[in-house]
Amino acid sequence: MIALLLTILGPLAATVWITATRKQIGYAALTGSLASLAGSFFLFLYMIEGKIITATFAGLPNFPFRLEVTELSAVLALVVSVITTFIFIYAIGYMAEEKGKLRFWSGISLFLGAMQLLVLAGDWILFVMAWEIMGFASYLLIGTWYWKKEAGDASTKAFLMNRVADLGLYVGVFVIILTSGSSQIVAEPLQGISMAGALALLLAVMGKSAQVPFQSWLSAAMAGPTPVSALLHSATMVAAGIILLLKAFPLFSPDALIWVGTVGGVTILLTGATAVFSEDIKRMLAASTSSQLGFMVLAVGAGYPAAAIAHLIAHAFMKSSLFLGAGIFQHETGSTRYKDLGGAGKKLIVTFSGFAVAGLALAGIPPLIGFWSKDAILAAGLQADPAAWYFPAALIGAFFTAIYMGRAFGILWNGKARPDETPQRSLPWMHTGLLTLAAATAVGGLFLDPLVEEAGFSIPKGTLAMISGLVAAASGLPIGWFAPAPAFKKRIWMFFRDNYPVAGGYNRVVVQPMLALAKGFNAIETSLLQAVFVIGTAFLAIARWLSEGIDRATAYVIDSIGAFNLNIARMSSFTDDKGIVEGIAGLVDSVQRLGHYGRKMQSGLVHRELAWSVYGMVFAFIIILLTYL
């Protein structure tokens, strides 16, 4: 459990430290990456020993969050951490004198943590969360130099294009949960999903892995720092789409897999041609990434995920090495355009050596790692049923790969190198990252097959695939090296170089109409707001008038009632004072007088009292007599 949490939380803790303290941020990020590497290494060891590690956390009602270490996830987590650790080492040198370090290091650590969370997610809801965090982090990283218009536009383009495709992930996951009644990712589901759900997931893959027609954002993303490009194009950002395919592969029906293979085959050809005619080394590598991911998508569509896994691992080492080499060339020459890189390989022989090893591996030269993974794709294409065109598409893609790598080698080696300059103090860091990954590319073929078998798969093989791959590499490399530069610069090839700008290209077909639509909606919204304001003002005036009228009427009634009550009170006071009080006072006075007279009559003399008694009896006798007469 500790290793599982360390793999994910190590980089995330580094992000918190960097954001909070802003001290030693590069080394803090590297520490987080090393922690993730240590955790993933132990997870790999546990997997080899047959131990199953799962962790369940409270999530949504009836849908708990789940982390799970499977054979595949353990291998992928280890590959991700190894690649990113050496990219971080390289980045310490690369970013030493660059601006935007805080955004870069915090974003890249967050990115690594999110990628490990995605790899180890055992339920679809947690997978979506990791997918979204990674997308946000990539937006920050591509826009590291946000004050440059190109970087800001590139990050926005990447974010928006992926947001459109991400809708497919939401729909697909909803269909999976609705169909199975569970959010858990299982290797052997009881049933598959509908064609609509499968195509929705494929849409998400197309966006994240830059498959046609979503490939253009990847070239634009080259506006970010080179370590970002190396990270996004190797085992993380774009590989997330392939990981989604691998996790969802058991859910796809044969009919759905045909669509998957078709997308991969088309992308191999179109983006491979874009790489061939590119005039910028980083944009060439970006187009190459789309094409190589197309190989993986095609392998999954052919029904051989093992071939996709093999090429995913090999491509991670090859492409990260190529980007790191391109970054050193860029630092030394101040440009990534081919016209400025002529002869740079002679000047930077160490860098060129690492770049060449990775490039030859990508072209499929034995015994480098790319030879074995590319042959696996070709074998998958040969054995695919019923799509017989998979193999020709993959073979042409391999031929294109050899051409654009041969062209890059020729440009970097030929030409007049610029005068030597003072070596950068940061170059040892950069060389360490590059040469380590290039060395892994050189000897990785020895470990590729066992690694894929540890993941629970078996790589497809075939003699015809091996021979045809060698022929494609052997013919494509010299064509790229010796073909004259003007042959690649003719106007007819601009259509390929610029990512197929149909009807004016992405900017005119998508961006400008969307901006016009946004402006239209903004105008409508402004009009509605103004109308609401006018109506609100009118009703407010009415409310005030009614309020004031009611207040006046209420005040009048209350004042009248008050005056009436006050008059009654005054009358009561007058009656009390003049009537009752004076009457009581008169009665009291009368009683007092009567008592005074009575007191005089009671003199205490016996003869007077007897006289009064006789008078009383006579008076009573008279009254009785008068009563009966």
Side-chain angles (χ1 to χ4, degrees), residues 159-180:
F159 185 76
L160 292 179
M161 290 188 74
N162 275 277
R163 294 307 297 161
V164 172
D166 288 350
L167 294 175
L169 179 63
Y170 305 142
V171 174
V173 168
F174 177 78
V175 171
I176 292 173
I177 296 176
L178 191 65
T179 302
S180 63

Side-chain angles (χ1 to χ4, degrees), residues 281-322:
I281 191 170
K282 287 182 68 176
R283 293 185 181 275
M284 177 274 289
L285 293 175
S288 166
T289 298
S290 291
S291 183
Q292 298 304 314
L293 292 168
F295 280 102
M296 304 174 206
V297 174
L298 183 142
V300 174
Y304 291 90
I309 296 170
H311 200 53
L312 175 64
I313 297 171
H315 180 260
F317 289 96
M318 295 185 294
K319 191 55 61 72
S320 58
S321 301
L322 290 169

Side-chain angles (χ1 to χ4, degrees), residues 441-465:
T441 301
V443 301
L446 300 175
F447 307 99
L448 185 61
D449 206 343
L451 200 60
V452 175
E453 289 182 356
E454 288 293 343
F457 296 90
S458 179
I459 299 177
K461 300 175 183 178
T463 303
L464 179 58

Side-chain angles (χ1 to χ4, degrees), residues 364-376:
I365 298 299
L368 306 176
I369 192 171
F371 168 75
W372 308 102
S373 66
K374 190 68 65 68
D375 284 350

Side-chain angles (χ1 to χ4, degrees), residues 253-556:
S253 66
D255 291 338
L257 288 176
I258 291 177
W259 285 96
V260 175
T262 300
V263 168
V266 171
T267 302
I268 289 172
L269 299 175
L270 296 184
T271 57
T274 298
V276 168
F277 297 105
S278 178
E279 294 299 322
D280 182 286
I281 191 170
K282 287 182 68 176
R283 293 185 181 275
M284 177 274 289
L285 293 175
S288 166
T289 298
S290 291
S291 183
Q292 298 304 314
L293 292 168
F295 280 102
M296 304 174 206
V297 174
L298 183 142
V300 174
Y304 291 90
I309 296 170
H311 200 53
L312 175 64
I313 297 171
H315 180 260
F317 289 96
M318 295 185 294
K319 191 55 61 72
S320 58
S321 301
L322 290 169
F323 267 109
L324 297 187
I328 297 177
F329 291 134
Q330 180 184 14
H331 256 221
E332 293 296 314
T333 63
S335 175
T336 57
R337 296 186 64 80
Y338 278 152
K339 66 179 183 180
D340 300 321
L341 296 179
K346 292 180 180 178
K347 175 187 172 183
L348 301 168
I349 189 66
V350 174
T351 303
F352 181 77
S353 299
F355 185 90
V357 169
L360 291 173
L362 189 67
I365 298 299
L368 306 176
I369 192 171
F371 168 75
W372 308 102
S373 66
K374 190 68 65 68
D375 284 350
I377 302 292
L378 293 172
L382 276 172
Q383 299 171 24
D385 181 41
W389 64 275
Y390 286 171
F391 174 73
L395 186 60
I396 295 172
F399 179 64
F400 284 167
T401 302
I403 291 177
Y404 58 69
M405 290 314 307
R407 186 182 178 211
F409 295 155
I411 293 172
L412 291 170
W413 189 256
N414 297 321
K416 186 177 181 180
R418 295 188 179 188
D420 291 337
E421 300 175 358
T422 303
Q424 298 184 25
R425 290 181 298 173
S426 60
L427 203 56
W429 287 96
M430 300 165 73
H431 275 157
T432 300
L434 167 63
L435 296 180
T436 304
L437 292 176
T441 301
V443 301
L446 300 175
F447 307 99
L448 185 61
D449 206 343
L451 200 60
V452 175
E453 289 182 356
E454 288 293 343
F457 296 90
S458 179
I459 299 177
K461 300 175 183 178
T463 303
L464 179 58
M466 182 180 298
I467 295 174
S468 58
L470 283 173
V471 171
S475 57
L477 284 170
I479 291 175
W481 180 287
F482 292 108
F488 295 96
K489 298 180 181 179
K490 292 183 179 181
R491 184 175 297 274
I492 189 174
W493 305 129
M494 291 183 182
F495 179 69
F496 299 95
R497 183 197 66 190
D498 297 334
N499 270 312
Y500 311 98
V502 178
Y506 172 82
N507 187 59
R508 181 172 295 180
V509 174
V510 179
V511 175
Q512 292 182 5
M514 286 298 175
L515 287 177
L517 185 62
K519 289 179 180 178
F521 280 120
N522 183 61
I524 294 173
E525 182 181 13
T526 302
S527 300
L528 289 175
L529 288 175
Q530 291 176 347
V532 170
F533 179 77
V534 171
I535 295 172
T537 302
F539 276 102
L540 183 60
I542 294 172
R544 287 176 178 172
W545 180 81
L546 290 174
S547 177
E548 291 175 358
I550 292 172
D551 288 346
R552 291 194 189 99
T554 303
Y556 175 77

Side-chain angles (χ1 to χ4, degrees), residues 93-130:
Y94 185 93
M95 294 298 294
E97 300 177 6
E98 297 287 350
K99 297 179 180 179
K101 294 183 182 65
L102 179 62
R103 179 167 177 155
F104 172 83
W105 286 114
S106 60
I108 205 167
S109 297
L110 177 64
F111 188 95
L112 173 57
M115 185 64 194
Q116 294 288 37
L117 179 62
L118 182 139
V119 169
L120 297 170
D123 71 278
W124 287 110
I125 298 176
L126 195 60
F127 185 93
V128 171
M129 292 172 61

